[in-house]
Amino acid sequence: PASNCQEAVSYGTTLLIKRVGHKSSIALVALNRPRVKNAFNDEEYTDLVNLLSAVQNEKSLNAIVLTGSGDYFSSGADLSSMAFDDETSIIDAPSGRFMMALLAFPKVFVAAVNGPAVGIG
């Protein structure tokens, strides 16, 4: 059977998503900040958390494949844009919320590392 492939669409401001595979059952998600080598910032963590929440109960989706745009998977944390707050626990920070959402995600989640992956990347 022919696989179904859609055009990539933006999700939030930091991700590109394309449904691929048989019956579009796989979401190919690209970190889309190539100018900063896909460095993770709070906005990207929030976009990923929102995406995982939005698709976790979608019956037609079997898996997410995360990759990077450009020549890096990720250069790690974007320290220039992260807010550091001694009052916020790591679990409540955007990066902590992403890690908890990823641990609880009920579907297959795979990283297709397409270049250097540094630090949290």
Side-chain angles (χ1 to χ4, degrees), residues 53-90:
S53 177
V55 301
Q56 69 182 354
N57 295 319
E58 190 175 317
K59 294 193 183 312
S60 66
L61 181 73
N62 294 330
I64 289 180
V65 176
L66 183 67
T67 193
S69 297
D71 59 350
Y72 265 66
F73 176 74
S74 174
S75 60
D78 185 348
L79 300 178
S80 69
S81 68
M82 293 200 147
F84 296 98
D85 180 0
D86 290 338
E87 301 296 317
T88 303
S89 75
I90 189 66

Side-chain angles (χ1 to χ4, degrees), residues 6-19 27-34 43-44 47-48 50-51 54-55 69:
Q6 302 171 348
E7 289 297 314
V9 296
S10 293
Y11 188 91
T13 60
T14 64
L15 305 175
L16 287 177
I17 300 174
K18 181 184 343 183
R19 294 291 290 260
L28 179 61
V29 178
L31 305 173
N32 193 32
R33 300 182 69 227
E43 189 174 6
E44 190 160 56
D47 286 347
L48 285 164
N50 291 341
L51 173 67
V55 301
S69 297

Side-chain angles (χ1 to χ4, degrees), residues 45-54 56 64 91 93-107 109:
Y45 285 124
T46 300
D47 286 347
L48 285 164
V49 168
N50 291 341
L51 173 67
L52 294 179
S53 177
Q56 69 182 354
I64 289 180
I91 297 298
S95 59
R97 289 194 309 268
F98 169 65
M99 295 300 169
M100 297 309 291
L102 185 58
L103 288 171
F105 192 62
K107 299 180 185 282
F109 191 99

